Amino acid sequence: MNSNLSAMEISELVSTRISHDIIGNVGAVSNAVELLEEDDLEFIGEIKSILKTSSFTLSARMKFFRMAFGLNNANLDNLELVEKTLKDYIQTIGGNNNQVQVNISLDDGTFSKIALLSAMIAGDTFIRGGTISIKQEGGALAVYSDNNSLMKDKVFIIKEVMNGNINDALAQYAPILYLKNILENSGCRLSVAKSEKLEFIIDKDK
């Protein structure tokens, strides 16, 4: 984490990022409602499709954000719910032709919030689908992201931010900065692999 950033500043970045990630679908719902108010049945099929897609995306993302950035609660110990929430969120960043597959294996709720944030960070590298693998092994969490389009520049920048080599206070890096803040406060170690893909391990056994 950028040592110059306060908890308030990180909170502001998180709020900005969340707003950015939902505003598009809020606008889509608003437009669909306007079309409904015009009583033009010619677009009813399109309206239904917009409302169905946007409502799922908004619901999935808000549930994810509440669990990833909200106060710790019993839901984080419900591994089935954590996995569903994570997978539903990832589904919103892909498409029918560019799906992102998620493989997740958690032993307990210790890494639930960290796993959610890690998935969000990995999700920022996708445009054409791929695979995210998250696995807990004892006191460590291993995260591996295989991006089909292999956005080398974006993967490189994200890894640099994770390593503390880029300290730009941008909302797009909010999940990384928030994760690093959690790790520092809990005494965890973040190790980023030197490869073209996004691979990192979070170790609670220092």
Side-chain angles (χ1 to χ4, degrees), residues 153-172:
D153 290 345
K154 190 154 192 176
V155 172
F156 173 79
I157 291 173
I158 285 176
K159 290 167 72 172
E160 288 293 285
V161 176
M162 295 180 78
N163 283 322
N165 298 326
I166 296 178
N167 290 318
D168 295 341
L170 302 178
Q172 67 193 80

PDB file of all heavy atoms in Angstrom, residues 153-172:
ATOM      1  N   ASP A 153       0.573  -5.694 -20.806  1.00  0.00           N
ATOM      2  CA  ASP A 153       0.814  -4.394 -20.191  1.00  0.00           C
ATOM      3  C   ASP A 153      -0.015  -4.218 -18.927  1.00  0.00           C
ATOM      4  O   ASP A 153       0.489  -3.737 -17.908  1.00  0.00           O
ATOM      5  CB  ASP A 153       0.494  -3.273 -21.183  1.00  0.00           C
ATOM      6  CG  ASP A 153       1.489  -3.210 -22.320  1.00  0.00           C
ATOM      7  OD1 ASP A 153       2.568  -3.820 -22.191  1.00  0.00           O
ATOM      8  OD2 ASP A 153       1.189  -2.553 -23.334  1.00  0.00           O
ATOM      9  N   LYS A 154      -1.287  -4.600 -18.995  1.00  0.00           N
ATOM     10  CA  LYS A 154      -2.159  -4.428 -17.841  1.00  0.00           C
ATOM     11  C   LYS A 154      -1.753  -5.357 -16.705  1.00  0.00           C
ATOM     12  O   LYS A 154      -1.759  -4.966 -15.540  1.00  0.00           O
ATOM     13  CB  LYS A 154      -3.614  -4.677 -18.233  1.00  0.00           C
ATOM     14  CG  LYS A 154      -4.595  -4.281 -17.152  1.00  0.00           C
ATOM     15  CD  LYS A 154      -5.943  -3.925 -17.730  1.00  0.00           C
ATOM     16  CE  LYS A 154      -6.809  -3.256 -16.683  1.00  0.00           C
ATOM     17  NZ  LYS A 154      -8.091  -2.797 -17.226  1.00  0.00           N
ATOM     18  N   VAL A 155      -1.425  -6.610 -17.046  1.00  0.00           N
ATOM     19  CA  VAL A 155      -0.961  -7.553 -16.031  1.00  0.00           C
ATOM     20  C   VAL A 155       0.307  -7.033 -15.366  1.00  0.00           C
ATOM     21  O   VAL A 155       0.451  -7.088 -14.144  1.00  0.00           O
ATOM     22  CB  VAL A 155      -0.713  -8.947 -16.645  1.00  0.00           C
ATOM     23  CG1 VAL A 155      -0.040  -9.868 -15.632  1.00  0.00           C
ATOM     24  CG2 VAL A 155      -2.022  -9.570 -17.115  1.00  0.00           C
ATOM     25  N   PHE A 156       1.211  -6.499 -16.171  1.00  0.00           N
ATOM     26  CA  PHE A 156       2.470  -5.967 -15.645  1.00  0.00           C
ATOM     27  C   PHE A 156       2.209  -4.820 -14.665  1.00  0.00           C
ATOM     28  O   PHE A 156       2.796  -4.775 -13.573  1.00  0.00           O
ATOM     29  CB  PHE A 156       3.352  -5.472 -16.792  1.00  0.00           C
ATOM     30  CG  PHE A 156       4.602  -4.764 -16.348  1.00  0.00           C
ATOM     31  CD1 PHE A 156       5.714  -5.491 -15.919  1.00  0.00           C
ATOM     32  CD2 PHE A 156       4.671  -3.381 -16.336  1.00  0.00           C
ATOM     33  CE1 PHE A 156       6.869  -4.844 -15.489  1.00  0.00           C
ATOM     34  CE2 PHE A 156       5.820  -2.727 -15.916  1.00  0.00           C
ATOM     35  CZ  PHE A 156       6.917  -3.461 -15.484  1.00  0.00           C
ATOM     36  N   ILE A 157       1.331  -3.892 -15.048  1.00  0.00           N
ATOM     37  CA  ILE A 157       1.042  -2.736 -14.192  1.00  0.00           C
ATOM     38  C   ILE A 157       0.401  -3.174 -12.880  1.00  0.00           C
ATOM     39  O   ILE A 157       0.769  -2.690 -11.803  1.00  0.00           O
ATOM     40  CB  ILE A 157       0.129  -1.738 -14.932  1.00  0.00           C
ATOM     41  CG1 ILE A 157       0.903  -1.082 -16.081  1.00  0.00           C
ATOM     42  CG2 ILE A 157      -0.391  -0.670 -13.972  1.00  0.00           C
ATOM     43  CD1 ILE A 157       0.055  -0.206 -16.973  1.00  0.00           C
ATOM     44  N   ILE A 158      -0.550  -4.103 -12.961  1.00  0.00           N
ATOM     45  CA  ILE A 158      -1.204  -4.590 -11.742  1.00  0.00           C
ATOM     46  C   ILE A 158      -0.187  -5.227 -10.812  1.00  0.00           C
ATOM     47  O   ILE A 158      -0.207  -5.016  -9.595  1.00  0.00           O
ATOM     48  CB  ILE A 158      -2.326  -5.586 -12.103  1.00  0.00           C
ATOM     49  CG1 ILE A 158      -3.527  -4.818 -12.659  1.00  0.00           C
ATOM     50  CG2 ILE A 158      -2.742  -6.423 -10.888  1.00  0.00           C
ATOM     51  CD1 ILE A 158      -4.666  -5.684 -13.130  1.00  0.00           C
ATOM     52  N   LYS A 159       0.742  -5.991 -11.376  1.00  0.00           N
ATOM     53  CA  LYS A 159       1.771  -6.622 -10.548  1.00  0.00           C
ATOM     54  C   LYS A 159       2.700  -5.576  -9.934  1.00  0.00           C
ATOM     55  O   LYS A 159       3.158  -5.724  -8.792  1.00  0.00           O
ATOM     56  CB  LYS A 159       2.549  -7.642 -11.387  1.00  0.00           C
ATOM     57  CG  LYS A 159       1.719  -8.871 -11.738  1.00  0.00           C
ATOM     58  CD  LYS A 159       2.352  -9.716 -12.816  1.00  0.00           C
ATOM     59  CE  LYS A 159       3.553 -10.462 -12.319  1.00  0.00           C
ATOM     60  NZ  LYS A 159       4.047 -11.440 -13.324  1.00  0.00           N
ATOM     61  N   GLU A 160       2.976  -4.517 -10.675  1.00  0.00           N
ATOM     62  CA  GLU A 160       3.816  -3.449 -10.145  1.00  0.00           C
ATOM     63  C   GLU A 160       3.125  -2.741  -8.972  1.00  0.00           C
ATOM     64  O   GLU A 160       3.763  -2.400  -7.972  1.00  0.00           O
ATOM     65  CB  GLU A 160       4.136  -2.431 -11.249  1.00  0.00           C
ATOM     66  CG  GLU A 160       5.121  -2.929 -12.295  1.00  0.00           C
ATOM     67  CD  GLU A 160       6.505  -3.123 -11.706  1.00  0.00           C
ATOM     68  OE1 GLU A 160       7.198  -2.121 -11.473  1.00  0.00           O
ATOM     69  OE2 GLU A 160       6.894  -4.291 -11.450  1.00  0.00           O
ATOM     70  N   VAL A 161       1.817  -2.525  -9.101  1.00  0.00           N
ATOM     71  CA  VAL A 161       1.065  -1.905  -8.000  1.00  0.00           C
ATOM     72  C   VAL A 161       1.078  -2.825  -6.792  1.00  0.00           C
ATOM     73  O   VAL A 161       1.275  -2.384  -5.649  1.00  0.00           O
ATOM     74  CB  VAL A 161      -0.387  -1.605  -8.432  1.00  0.00           C
ATOM     75  CG1 VAL A 161      -1.186  -1.056  -7.243  1.00  0.00           C
ATOM     76  CG2 VAL A 161      -0.416  -0.606  -9.581  1.00  0.00           C
ATOM     77  N   MET A 162       0.889  -4.122  -7.017  1.00  0.00           N
ATOM     78  CA  MET A 162       0.890  -5.087  -5.924  1.00  0.00           C
ATOM     79  C   MET A 162       2.247  -5.143  -5.233  1.00  0.00           C
ATOM     80  O   MET A 162       2.340  -5.342  -4.017  1.00  0.00           O
ATOM     81  CB  MET A 162       0.503  -6.474  -6.442  1.00  0.00           C
ATOM     82  CG  MET A 162      -0.920  -6.555  -6.960  1.00  0.00           C
ATOM     83  SD  MET A 162      -1.373  -8.184  -7.582  1.00  0.00           S
ATOM     84  CE  MET A 162      -1.653  -9.050  -6.022  1.00  0.00           C
ATOM     85  N   ASN A 163       3.312  -4.939  -6.004  1.00  0.00           N
ATOM     86  CA  ASN A 163       4.672  -4.965  -5.450  1.00  0.00           C
ATOM     87  C   ASN A 163       5.072  -3.632  -4.828  1.00  0.00           C
ATOM     88  O   ASN A 163       6.170  -3.503  -4.271  1.00  0.00           O
ATOM     89  CB  ASN A 163       5.681  -5.339  -6.542  1.00  0.00           C
ATOM     90  CG  ASN A 163       5.672  -6.827  -6.851  1.00  0.00           C
ATOM     91  OD1 ASN A 163       5.525  -7.658  -5.959  1.00  0.00           O
ATOM     92  ND2 ASN A 163       5.849  -7.177  -8.124  1.00  0.00           N
ATOM     93  N   GLY A 164       4.200  -2.615  -4.947  1.00  0.00           N
ATOM     94  CA  GLY A 164       4.498  -1.314  -4.363  1.00  0.00           C
ATOM     95  C   GLY A 164       5.393  -0.446  -5.226  1.00  0.00           C
ATOM     96  O   GLY A 164       5.890   0.592  -4.761  1.00  0.00           O
ATOM     97  N   ASN A 165       5.585  -0.821  -6.489  1.00  0.00           N
ATOM     98  CA  ASN A 165       6.449  -0.048  -7.381  1.00  0.00           C
ATOM     99  C   ASN A 165       5.707   1.076  -8.086  1.00  0.00           C
ATOM    100  O   ASN A 165       6.327   1.963  -8.668  1.00  0.00           O
ATOM    101  CB  ASN A 165       7.088  -0.970  -8.426  1.00  0.00           C
ATOM    102  CG  ASN A 165       7.981  -2.018  -7.788  1.00  0.00           C
ATOM    103  OD1 ASN A 165       8.623  -1.758  -6.773  1.00  0.00           O
ATOM    104  ND2 ASN A 165       8.024  -3.208  -8.360  1.00  0.00           N
ATOM    105  N   ILE A 166       4.371   1.019  -8.090  1.00  0.00           N
ATOM    106  CA  ILE A 166       3.537   2.094  -8.626  1.00  0.00           C
ATOM    107  C   ILE A 166       2.583   2.511  -7.521  1.00  0.00           C
ATOM    108  O   ILE A 166       1.824   1.691  -7.012  1.00  0.00           O
ATOM    109  CB  ILE A 166       2.742   1.638  -9.871  1.00  0.00           C
ATOM    110  CG1 ILE A 166       3.699   1.288 -11.018  1.00  0.00           C
ATOM    111  CG2 ILE A 166       1.773   2.733 -10.315  1.00  0.00           C
ATOM    112  CD1 ILE A 166       2.992   0.795 -12.265  1.00  0.00           C
ATOM    113  N   ASN A 167       2.617   3.773  -7.157  1.00  0.00           N
ATOM    114  CA  ASN A 167       1.815   4.246  -6.031  1.00  0.00           C
ATOM    115  C   ASN A 167       0.742   5.245  -6.441  1.00  0.00           C
ATOM    116  O   ASN A 167       0.304   6.060  -5.641  1.00  0.00           O
ATOM    117  CB  ASN A 167       2.715   4.866  -4.967  1.00  0.00           C
ATOM    118  CG  ASN A 167       3.566   3.820  -4.257  1.00  0.00           C
ATOM    119  OD1 ASN A 167       3.087   2.753  -3.923  1.00  0.00           O
ATOM    120  ND2 ASN A 167       4.831   4.142  -4.047  1.00  0.00           N
ATOM    121  N   ASP A 168       0.316   5.198  -7.727  1.00  0.00           N
ATOM    122  CA  ASP A 168      -0.725   6.109  -8.190  1.00  0.00           C
ATOM    123  C   ASP A 168      -2.033   5.822  -7.458  1.00  0.00           C
ATOM    124  O   ASP A 168      -2.499   4.676  -7.420  1.00  0.00           O
ATOM    125  CB  ASP A 168      -0.952   5.957  -9.696  1.00  0.00           C
ATOM    126  CG  ASP A 168       0.260   6.381 -10.504  1.00  0.00           C
ATOM    127  OD1 ASP A 168       1.103   7.102  -9.954  1.00  0.00           O
ATOM    128  OD2 ASP A 168       0.362   5.992 -11.680  1.00  0.00           O
ATOM    129  N   ALA A 169      -2.624   6.852  -6.889  1.00  0.00           N
ATOM    130  CA  ALA A 169      -3.883   6.688  -6.154  1.00  0.00           C
ATOM    131  C   ALA A 169      -5.054   6.775  -7.131  1.00  0.00           C
ATOM    132  O   ALA A 169      -5.758   7.782  -7.203  1.00  0.00           O
ATOM    133  CB  ALA A 169      -3.996   7.750  -5.073  1.00  0.00           C
ATOM    134  N   LEU A 170      -5.251   5.713  -7.897  1.00  0.00           N
ATOM    135  CA  LEU A 170      -6.329   5.666  -8.876  1.00  0.00           C
ATOM    136  C   LEU A 170      -7.392   4.676  -8.426  1.00  0.00           C
ATOM    137  O   LEU A 170      -7.086   3.635  -7.842  1.00  0.00           O
ATOM    138  CB  LEU A 170      -5.774   5.235 -10.248  1.00  0.00           C
ATOM    139  CG  LEU A 170      -4.669   6.124 -10.837  1.00  0.00           C
ATOM    140  CD1 LEU A 170      -4.192   5.542 -12.161  1.00  0.00           C
ATOM    141  CD2 LEU A 170      -5.181   7.541 -11.028  1.00  0.00           C
ATOM    142  N   ALA A 171      -8.655   4.987  -8.737  1.00  0.00           N
ATOM    143  CA  ALA A 171      -9.767   4.144  -8.306  1.00  0.00           C
ATOM    144  C   ALA A 171      -9.669   2.734  -8.880  1.00  0.00           C
ATOM    145  O   ALA A 171     -10.126   1.777  -8.249  1.00  0.00           O
ATOM    146  CB  ALA A 171     -11.090   4.789  -8.711  1.00  0.00           C
ATOM    147  N   GLN A 172      -9.072   2.594 -10.058  1.00  0.00           N
ATOM    148  CA  GLN A 172      -8.962   1.265 -10.659  1.00  0.00           C
ATOM    149  C   GLN A 172      -8.081   0.339  -9.817  1.00  0.00           C
ATOM    150  O   GLN A 172      -8.186  -0.884  -9.908  1.00  0.00           O
ATOM    151  CB  GLN A 172      -8.393   1.365 -12.081  1.00  0.00           C
ATOM    152  CG  GLN A 172      -6.945   1.833 -12.143  1.00  0.00           C
ATOM    153  CD  GLN A 172      -6.522   2.215 -13.545  1.00  0.00           C
ATOM    154  OE1 GLN A 172      -6.815   3.301 -14.019  1.00  0.00           O
ATOM    155  NE2 GLN A 172      -5.842   1.296 -14.225  1.00  0.00           N
TER     156      GLN A 172
END
